Amino acid sequence: MSIVIIDQSRCRPAHCENGVCVAQFTCTWRVLEQSRPFELPEVDARRCLGCARCALICPLSAIQIAAT
C-alpha cells in the first residue's frame, strides 16, 4: 500500500496560481485539502490509493508517494 506525503520544505503554495494547490483538484478521492489559499495542503492518508496523480501534477515536486 502507498500513501501521499507532502515535502514541506518544497511545498510553496505562493508559487501556485492564487495560492491554491493544483494537485488537490486532480485527486478524485480528495486526499489533499487546503483550508485556505497560501496554506499547506493537508493529507487524509486514509483516502489515499497511491495512484500518484497528485505527485505527477505538482509543479514543485513537493508530493511523493511512499510505501507503507
Side-chain angles (χ1 to χ4, degrees), residues 1 3 7 13 15-18 20-21 23 25 27-29 33 35 42-43 45 47 50 57 59-60 64 66:
M1 183 172 173
I3 60 166
D7 183 342
H15 293 272
C16 294
E17 189 173 340
N18 297 319
V20 178
C21 174
F25 299 113
C27 183
T28 306
W29 300 276
E33 290 194 27
S35 301
E42 295 183 22
V43 176
R47 295 180 182 179
I57 200 157
L60 302 173
Q64 301 167 1

Side-chain angles (χ1 to χ4, degrees), residues 3-68:
I3 60 166
V4 65
I5 296 173
I6 297 176
D7 183 342
Q8 293 184 0
S9 68
R10 289 184 175 201
C11 184
R12 299 282 183 252
H15 293 272
C16 294
E17 189 173 340
N18 297 319
V20 178
C21 174
V22 67
Q24 72 178 327
F25 299 113
T26 64
C27 183
T28 306
W29 300 276
R30 302 199 61 167
V31 172
L32 300 173
E33 290 194 27
Q34 194 176 19
S35 301
R36 295 184 186 137
F38 301 102
E39 290 186 2
L40 291 175
E42 295 183 22
V43 176
D44 185 346
R46 297 171 295 159
R47 295 180 182 179
C48 186
L49 300 178
C51 71
R53 283 189 231 172
C54 57
L56 293 172
I57 200 157
C58 178
L60 302 173
S61 300
I63 301 173
Q64 301 167 1
I65 304 299
T68 57

